[in-house]
Amino acid sequence: MNLHPLLRGARRRVLASTLAAGVPLAFAVALVAWRSSTVDVATMTLTAGLLIAAGVATWRARRLDTHWLIARLNAHRRFEDSADLLFTSPDALNPLQQRQRRHVEQHLREAPPELRQPWPWKWLLLCVAIAGAIAAGASLWPHRADERTIAADDARSIAASSPDAPALRATRLQITPPAYTGQAASAGEKLDVRAVQGSRLQWQLQFAPQPQHAWLQFHDGRRLPLQRDGEYWRASELLQRPGLYRIVSDPALAEAGRAYRLDVIADRPPQVKVLEPTQTLNQAAPGQRQWQLRFEASDDFGIQSNAVLDITTAKGSGENIEFQQRQLTLSGTGPATARRFAYRADLAALGVGPGDELVARLTVRDNRNPQPQEARSASLILRLPSEQEVQTSELEGAIKKVMPAYFRSQRQIIIDAEALQKQRGTLDADTFTKRADAIGVDQRILRLRYGQFLGEEAEGGAKAPPTGDLPTSDAPTADAHDDDHGDTHAQDDGHDHGGNAATESAPVFGSATDVLSEYGHTHDHAEAATLLDPQTRAILKAALDQMWQSEGHLRQGHPDLALPFAYKALGFIKQVQQAERIYLARVGSALPPIDMARRMTGKRDGLGSRSLQLATRPPGDSTVADAWQALASSDGKVDLDALSRWLDAHPQAWPDPLDVIAAIDEVRQQPDCQSCRQRLREQLWPALQRPLGAPARRNAADASGRRYLDALAAPQERP
């Protein structure tokens, strides 16, 4: 027997009852949204409410399935709990079950049961009552459209009382982009502007009746007078920075105009990409005569057809290096927005030979007028192998290299830092910081190399002493022995001359330390480092301190602060190179003499305090934080002028400063508008300074440490 009509009827009843309860609630909530906001918000709210009601109704109807139908049929006694036989195949039933099934089908044909649920009148009336209460409350809520109508009525009444009040009748704004952009001029009635920086803006306004004076009032207090030309008022200005402006007249306009936006599209600086070679540092192959260079420069409004290739050749070794610079003009190919430049350097024509270095860097300019923007590529270095390296090239597998092929000197770090400082205005903050950090890494490597001569350990674990020649021309050389060293040594002269051959490692061929330990004495170890005299050690220690300061500022992205320390470090290095190297015998530490007159007296006069006074942290700029806190209360006073000045000085603090300017203008125009204050407070949130982390707590002292601290804190008894 077909039971689907009964099931469909039950589902329809559930759908109807659920929708009858949910639809009034959805309309009531939509009415509240319309009264408190706009029609669009109310439409979205109503759509969401109807979808929720339909979803709930569908979910409730789908719960009425076969199991529910069997349970509802078995609830009637005449079906004798045998309704499940109607949904079983007759072939799977025994004769008794088939007979019982025919009996149930007969009862269904004679008197079909009512499976639809009764209407939930109590719940329906309750939902309708709740919806009516919500609608009644919403009708008493002040509508924003009513507020605007009241404001318009007030404006019309003022205009009626002042028949001479002018009104804005027609507007026209023409935008002429700079010629180098290649964009066409545009004009329209919209007074909001979004154009390239440097565009010419021309306003043409018409009033009726004509005012005595009219001007454009900008958010920063600046005025642009409008000049009358017959029936029109005109003004012109170059778009340089974003802002807001209003149209103001004398006498005042009948209807106060809103603030119009000036969005500036900045001309991005060009970008230079190195196509060939793929690495910054390159090792020339033996017999190489040419060096291929290929670059690609891109810009949003086009690159100049010519670029300048700076080629620097470095000849010599140590600090006696001769530099020669050349500038070549290259012609680009391809479209103006993505030009390619290529140059094949002839090494023989440039005069470079074995052991020399060749540095190339491309400089391009975009088409911005009157001040083109420059961009430079990374410095590409080609190092030609020396004659010794060429002679030993066939023994590459037999000789173990222990030093890098290229290592920067302190002078080169200064040159790179100065070059980066000159590019501060043309690079974005992230690129500038990354390049400064890379120079700081070079400074760190150089500092660790010099620190090995003072017995210092490299960061990250103990390192072996330097081997072979010094890695840079700035580093001082330390000989194992001077020829005039007249001390003779026996096997028991106070330092180790060797050890058991069975416990020592075999010397490594080519290692300077193994050769020195095999055939001479270093008179030194990493902790004492008496290879240098005290004066030379002090100078080298001062150089390391200056390198440390230079490295810290470079890693933080401040090459201007690192240069003074880098120059001082270079001066100390020059002094170390000119110092005499002598050998000193190991002696104990020289302690100051003991004052016998004061000994055992218990007097503590003149002793310094053990308490360490921490320097207070300097207070930061609290302009944004004070404004954010003042906006939290309805009567809090906000210094909008100070906030505007802070915004002009820190335009990078917000993703879109113009949104903040608009929010400040709203609060300035409507000081009592709570929603305007809340919007401004939300705009200030990204610029708030994050709280600085608290200093890490010191580990708790153990038992012996506590006894020591208690003894220090205990009063001293006089003998």
Side-chain angles (χ1 to χ4, degrees):
M1 184 177 181
N2 189 8
L3 300 177
H4 292 291
L6 297 177
L7 185 59
R8 284 197 299 269
R11 287 179 175 177
R12 289 172 182 173
R13 176 62 59 85
V14 172
L15 283 171
S17 59
T18 305
L19 291 177
V23 170
L25 293 175
F27 276 95
V29 175
L31 181 60
V32 173
W34 176 62
R35 298 292 296 182
S36 60
S37 185
T38 61
V39 177
D40 295 337
V41 176
T43 303
M44 294 176 59
T45 304
L46 178 60
T47 303
L50 294 178
L51 290 176
I52 293 174
V56 173
T58 303
W59 171 72
R60 292 191 61 194
R62 288 184 176 179
R63 294 179 60 187
L64 307 184
D65 54 3
T66 304
H67 298 284
W68 175 86
L69 181 58
I70 293 175
R72 291 284 295 174
L73 292 176
N74 288 334
H76 297 77
R77 295 181 179 180
R78 52 190 175 135
F79 296 115
E80 300 176 355
D81 291 334
S82 301
D84 55 336
L85 298 178
L86 299 174
F87 301 93
T88 306
S89 176
D91 298 337
L93 301 177
N94 55 37
L96 181 60
Q97 291 175 337
Q98 292 178 359
R99 181 179 179 181
Q100 181 66 16
R101 175 175 176 171
R102 289 191 297 270
H103 180 69
V104 172
E105 291 177 350
Q106 182 179 0
H107 283 294
L108 283 174
R109 285 191 296 269
E110 292 177 354
E114 179 61 41
L115 300 182
R116 294 180 299 177
Q117 297 180 358
W119 287 93
W121 294 111
K122 293 183 179 181
W123 287 104
L124 292 178
L125 293 176
L126 179 61
C127 291
V128 172
I130 294 175
I134 295 175
S139 62
L140 300 177
W141 189 276
H143 188 30
R144 292 184 60 185
D146 298 338
E147 296 177 358
R148 293 193 294 269
T149 303
I150 295 173
D153 294 340
D154 294 340
R156 283 192 293 269
S157 63
I158 294 174
S161 61
S162 302
D164 295 336
L168 187 62
R169 298 304 183 187
T171 61
R172 187 175 185 272
L173 177 59
Q174 181 176 350
I175 304 174
T176 306
Y180 74 88
T181 62
Q183 298 180 354
S186 61
E189 297 180 355
K190 294 183 59 177
L191 296 180
D192 291 315
V193 178
R194 179 175 177 81
V196 181
Q197 185 177 13
S199 299
R200 171 67 63 178
L201 305 180
Q202 295 177 342
W203 288 270
Q204 179 178 301
L205 308 177
Q206 184 180 10
F207 300 93
Q210 296 293 348
Q212 297 180 1
H213 303 283
W215 63 90
L216 301 181
Q217 182 70 47
F218 292 89
H219 75 279
D220 54 0
R222 185 170 53 91
R223 289 186 176 186
L224 179 61
L226 292 169
Q227 304 297 331
R228 184 172 180 179
D229 182 11
E231 295 295 327
Y232 298 98
W233 294 75
R234 304 179 188 274
S236 177
E237 188 182 44
L238 288 178
L239 180 61
Q240 296 296 343
R241 59 177 184 172
L244 298 175
Y245 73 97
R246 279 187 170 85
I247 301 174
V248 184
S249 66
D250 183 20
L253 294 174
E255 296 183 3
R258 68 176 182 88
Y260 302 100
R261 295 170 60 99
L262 296 177
D263 289 311
V264 177
I265 302 176
D267 184 0
R268 297 188 301 269
Q271 302 291 329
V272 183
K273 179 181 179 181
V274 180
L275 301 180
E276 188 179 355
T278 57
Q279 298 180 353
T280 304
L281 178 61
N282 302 272
Q283 186 79 12
Q288 181 177 346
R289 297 181 179 180
Q290 293 181 339
W291 189 30
Q292 180 64 45
L293 302 174
R294 294 175 61 247
F295 306 88
E296 182 180 18
S298 59
D299 187 73
D300 45 3
F301 296 116
I303 297 289
Q304 293 184 7
S305 58
N306 295 332
V308 177
L309 180 64
D310 296 321
I311 297 180
T312 303
T313 57
K315 300 181 180 181
S317 61
E319 289 297 328
N320 299 321
I321 299 178
E322 296 181 358
F323 293 95
Q324 185 177 4
Q325 296 183 352
R326 297 180 178 87
Q327 285 190 348
L328 303 176
T329 302
L330 304 182
S331 298
T333 59
T337 56
R339 295 188 184 274
R340 292 198 174 190
F341 301 89
Y343 178 73
R344 186 181 299 273
D346 190 347
L347 303 183
L350 295 175
V352 294
D356 298 340
E357 290 185 356
L358 182 64
V359 182
R361 184 173 59 179
L362 184 70
T363 303
V364 298
R365 292 186 176 185
D366 62 4
N367 293 325
R368 191 175 71 169
N369 191 16
Q371 296 179 350
Q373 300 180 102
E374 288 187 355
R376 294 180 175 88
S377 67
S379 296
L380 304 176
I381 303 173
L382 178 65
R383 185 175 186 273
L384 279 71
S386 61
E387 296 180 355
Q388 182 179 2
E389 293 176 350
V390 174
Q391 293 175 0
T392 59
S393 59
E394 298 180 357
L395 302 177
E396 189 72 23
I399 298 179
K400 179 182 178 182
K401 294 184 178 181
V402 295
M403 292 188 304
Y406 176 75
F407 192 76
R408 293 197 173 188
S409 64
Q410 186 65 25
R411 186 183 301 275
Q412 183 63 38
I413 291 176
I414 293 174
I415 294 174
D416 292 346
E418 290 178 343
L420 180 61
Q421 181 63 24
K422 293 180 181 179
Q423 301 176 12
R424 177 182 288 271
T426 60
L427 299 176
D428 55 275
D430 294 339
T431 304
F432 184 84
T433 304
K434 289 180 181 179
R435 293 190 181 181
D437 181 71
I439 301 176
V441 172
D442 295 335
Q443 181 69 87
R444 171 183 175 273
I445 297 174
L446 186 60
R447 176 178 59 81
L448 295 179
R449 286 288 188 175
Y450 280 113
Q452 293 178 354
F453 293 96
L454 294 180
E456 294 184 353
E457 293 182 351
E459 292 146 353
K463 305 294 182 181
T467 60
D469 297 337
L470 293 181
T472 177
S473 58
D474 296 330
T477 58
D479 301 332
H481 284 283
D482 285 346
D483 295 339
D484 56 353
H485 183 54
D487 296 341
T488 58
H489 307 280
Q491 296 297 331
D492 54 352
D493 59 356
H495 55 272
D496 191 9
H497 285 249
N500 189 357
T503 61
E504 292 181 351
S505 61
V508 179
F509 176 74
S511 175
T513 53
D514 291 339
V515 173
L516 187 59
S517 62
E518 183 72 18
Y519 299 102
H521 309 299
T522 60
H523 293 261
D524 202 358
H525 55 80
E527 288 74 19
T530 58
L531 190 61
L532 305 175
D533 60 278
Q535 182 179 1
T536 305
R537 282 175 47 81
I539 297 175
L540 186 56
K541 181 63 171 62
L544 293 180
D545 294 340
Q546 299 300 322
M547 290 183 184
W548 178 271
Q549 296 291 340
S550 174
E551 175 191 344
H553 290 298
L554 287 172
R555 298 300 293 271
Q556 295 177 5
H558 301 291
D560 53 338
L561 302 179
L563 281 173
F565 299 102
Y567 276 114
K568 292 180 181 179
L570 180 60
F572 288 133
I573 292 172
K574 299 295 292 184
Q575 296 180 28
V576 170
Q577 291 179 338
Q578 299 170 2
E580 295 181 355
R581 293 161 176 80
I582 62 175
Y583 295 97
L584 301 176
R586 291 196 184 97
V587 295
S589 59
L591 300 177
I594 299 176
D595 187 1
M596 301 303 297
R598 189 172 179 174
R599 187 169 182 267
M600 303 297 293
T601 60
K603 295 182 179 180
R604 302 173 60 86
D605 301 339
L607 296 181
S609 176
R610 293 189 178 95
S611 60
L612 178 61
Q613 298 295 333
L614 297 178
T616 59
R617 180 180 298 162
D621 191 354
S622 60
T623 303
V624 180
D626 294 342
W628 187 79
Q629 293 178 356
L631 290 170
S633 58
S634 58
D635 56 349
K637 296 183 179 179
V638 185
D639 192 351
L640 298 178
D641 295 334
L643 186 60
S644 298
R645 291 192 298 268
W646 195 94
L647 175 61
D648 294 338
H650 305 82
Q652 303 298 331
W654 287 276
D656 190 356
L658 199 55
D659 291 342
V660 187
I661 295 175
I664 294 175
D665 184 75
E666 288 183 358
V667 177
R668 195 188 304 274
Q669 297 295 327
Q670 305 176 18
D672 298 333
C673 178
Q674 298 300 322
S675 60
C676 302
R677 295 171 64 91
Q678 182 62 27
R679 281 194 295 271
L680 177 57
R681 193 166 188 262
E682 294 173 357
Q683 292 289 343
L684 296 181
W685 174 257
L688 291 176
Q689 183 181 5
R690 295 183 179 179
L692 302 177
R697 296 183 60 86
R698 183 178 297 175
N699 296 332
D702 53 5
S704 60
R706 286 194 298 271
R707 290 196 301 270
Y708 175 74
L709 296 176
D710 294 341
L712 290 178
Q716 301 291 334
E717 298 182 358
R718 300 177 64 89

